[in-house]
Amino acid sequence: MTERVLHIAYLPPTGYVHPLSNALNAATSPRAKQALEKWYGEGVGSIALALSSKLAMLSVTVARLNRSLNSLRRDVASNPRASDALAEQKALPLTDAGLAYDVLVDIDAFVFEFRSAYEILGKFLAAVHRAIEEKPPTEAELLAMLESKGVPTAWTTILREKRKRLFHEKPPWIAYQIDSLAPFSAREVFTSGA
């Protein structure tokens, strides 16, 4: 009996891949035609689709992280034991005990997907440069270009180092820097696990 497989269509909502391939398709220059051949022949399109998928996954991860952080904030803000825990400098037991782990999993997923998308983006940029027969910029050159345009890049080092710690040593823990309990006004603080 032959194995039958039904594949699922992944149609990422990000919109940069098609404009790039359409521009190459519409161009009449021999260099553009050669780049288009490499786009398909050397797998540039596959990397582009992988990046589009990663960016869509990252969007889902961010939405989940925001929802879980909002749920955590509501739990802390409405928790009648928050005042005592703060005064006694003790950890606050949540009303929903599983919520803290939901947040930790969502943070973990966000860091993983963000770093993964960043790495695939680097591969995509290198592949596009090779397709148009230009030397791909190094990561340092790309970061310098972004900095020159006013885009902060310090987060790339922080992400790399924190990712290693989060995945290989300790998960993050969430605390709140409290400005006021009533009305609740606070900022999330991510600390190293105990």
Side-chain angles (χ1 to χ4, degrees):
M1 180 174 176
T2 337
E3 185 177 320
R4 294 169 31 158
V5 177
L6 177 63
H7 293 274
I8 304 300
Y10 295 92
L11 305 171
T14 55
Y16 72 92
V17 174
H18 288 89
L20 283 175
S21 61
N22 289 344
L24 289 174
N25 256 326
T28 57
S29 79
R31 188 173 176 193
K33 294 300 177 196
Q34 183 180 11
L36 189 60
E37 287 173 17
K38 288 184 177 185
W39 181 276
Y40 296 109
E42 294 181 17
V44 179
S46 296
I47 299 170
L49 289 175
L51 180 59
S52 291
S53 294
K54 275 295 175 182
L55 293 174
M57 292 166 67
L58 184 59
S59 170
V60 169
T61 305
V62 167
R64 286 182 181 179
L65 178 58
N66 284 333
R67 279 193 303 271
S68 64
L69 285 172
N70 286 336
S71 294
L72 179 64
R73 180 176 279 274
R74 282 191 302 274
D75 191 301
V76 172
S78 64
N79 195 313
R81 297 183 283 182
S83 182
D84 291 338
L86 184 61
E88 297 168 13
Q89 297 184 358
K90 292 184 177 178
L92 175 66
L94 297 173
T95 306
D96 177 353
L99 186 55
Y101 291 101
D102 290 344
V103 173
L104 294 181
V105 168
D106 290 337
I107 290 170
D108 210 44
F110 169 76
V111 171
F112 178 85
E113 292 302 336
F114 195 92
R115 183 64 192 185
S116 179
Y118 177 78
E119 290 174 7
I120 293 173
L121 174 61
K123 290 177 184 177
F124 174 71
L125 291 173
V128 167
H129 277 81
R130 283 192 302 274
I132 60 174
E133 296 185 347
E134 288 188 8
K135 178 184 172 265
T138 65
E139 183 178 10
E141 290 168 338
L142 285 171
L143 293 175
M145 282 189 271
L146 290 170
E147 284 288 338
S148 74
K149 296 186 183 300
V151 177
T153 61
W155 59 267
T156 60
T157 303
I158 294 167
L159 177 62
R160 182 177 53 249
E161 294 307 314
K162 295 291 182 189
R163 178 189 60 85
K164 289 175 189 174
R165 183 171 173 78
L166 292 176
F167 290 167
H168 302 294
E169 295 176 27
K170 297 179 178 183
W173 291 104
I174 304 221
Y176 283 96
Q177 179 69 46
I178 302 292
D179 296 322
S180 166
L181 283 176
F184 186 74
S185 175
R187 293 175 305 285
E188 287 90 3
V189 178
F190 300 93
T191 65
S192 294

